[in-house]
Every structure is written in C-alpha cells, then in structure tokens.
Amino acid sequence: HDARKAEDSYRKSRSNSLGPGKVHMKRKEEGKDEMLGAIAKKAQTGIANTVGKALAARGMTTMPTKNMEGQKVPEVTLHARKGGDWHQINTGSYFAKGKTVVFSLPGAFTPTCSTSHLPRYEQLAPAFKAAGVEKIACVSVNDGFVMESWGKDQHVNKVELLPDGNGEFTEQMGMLCDKSAI
C-alpha cells in the first residue's frame, strides 16, 4: 500500500513537470489524460503482444534501449514529402507545439502495419482530438518517398507520416532495433 502511494506521488510529480517537447512515458490518472490512455490502449490492443512475441522468438526486443522519460525530444531534421514536394521537419519544433501522440512502426507497407497499426490510429483520430490531442504522428525508418507513397496507398489524412530515413531520430530516442533476423 505504501509503495503504491509512493508510486502515485512520483507519477504525479513527473507528470506535472513535463511539458510539450518532452517525452511522456506515463500518463496522469485523471480527466482527459486517462481517456487518452484508454484510447491509446485500444489502438495497441494485441499489437504489442504480437510484435513482441515475434521479435522475442528471434532474440530481439521491442523495449527502448534508453529511458527518455522527462527528456527533451531529440532535435533531428526529417525529410518528408507531401504533394510531391520536399518538407523539412525539425522534431524539436514539431513536438514542442501542443499535445502530440506519436507512434512508430517497423516499416511502411509491412502487412500488420498496413492492415492494423496505421488504420487503427487513423480510425481513432476523432477520439484523440476529443481528448485534446492536436497531432497524431507515425514515425518509421523509411525515406520520404516511401512514406508519401504509403500514405497515399492507405488514404491517410489524419495521421502525419514522419520519415526517419536514416534512423537518426529513432536511434536518439533509444528505439532503433536490429531487424537483421527478419
């Protein structure tokens, strides 16, 4: 019981100190943040277990390699394409403005990412917006050409696709994984 109180106190102090542009690994247990957590949980239902089991079978992990909680989002320039034009996205500026839900995927055009992951976030976009989320972003280690084509193929208009072609942002977030076994 005392451990639970201490954990709740720690969580509240950490949640209150984090602002835009900081990595939130935990959520508050009240109001819109609770609703947001429930929505995110719906989006991830079954996905994490499926991916985790597949990677574990190959001796790999889905866990971050470093703890980014409370740290600033790494500042990297992503090279995106929209409407056939190049756009530079500075991640420091992008994530500093408003509340953003960001998720990452192993790759564009992969079966589960195309049939489950991305479509589910696109489907839940109105619920995220109702919870105060301004942007929904999907990061994948693919180039701007691939991400633009995937967005067209998937008819995405509520989720912004962020190409991390060199894996620089993903690596600095501690989330780059070895996919040589797959």
Side-chain angles (χ1 to χ4, degrees), residues 17-24 71-73 92 95-100:
S17 67
L18 299 175
K22 299 273 179 114
V23 177
H24 296 262
Q71 303 300 311
K72 287 189 97 174
V73 173
F95 290 108
K97 298 174 188 161
K99 189 180 280 189
T100 303

Side-chain angles (χ1 to χ4, degrees), residues 14 19 32 56 59 63 70 75 94 111 127 158 164-165 169 172 174 176:
R14 297 297 299 153
K32 287 186 176 179
M63 297 304 293
E75 195 159 329
Y94 181 88
K158 297 176 185 113
D164 187 16
F169 178 77
Q172 288 185 38
L176 196 61

Side-chain angles (χ1 to χ4, degrees), residues 67-108:
N67 183 357
M68 291 293 295
E69 182 180 356
Q71 303 300 311
K72 287 189 97 174
V73 173
E75 195 159 329
V76 173
T77 299
L78 303 177
H79 306 282
R81 290 184 58 82
K82 191 169 188 175
D85 294 323
W86 286 105
H87 298 273
Q88 309 307 308
I89 300 169
N90 176 285
T91 57
S93 300
Y94 181 88
F95 290 108
K97 298 174 188 161
K99 189 180 280 189
T100 303
V101 167
V102 61
F103 64 102
S104 60
L105 301 172

Side-chain angles (χ1 to χ4, degrees), residues 161-176:
L161 302 178
L162 303 180
D164 187 16
N166 293 328
E168 187 179 357
F169 178 77
T170 304
E171 183 174 34
Q172 288 185 38
M173 286 291 291
M175 301 292 283
L176 196 61

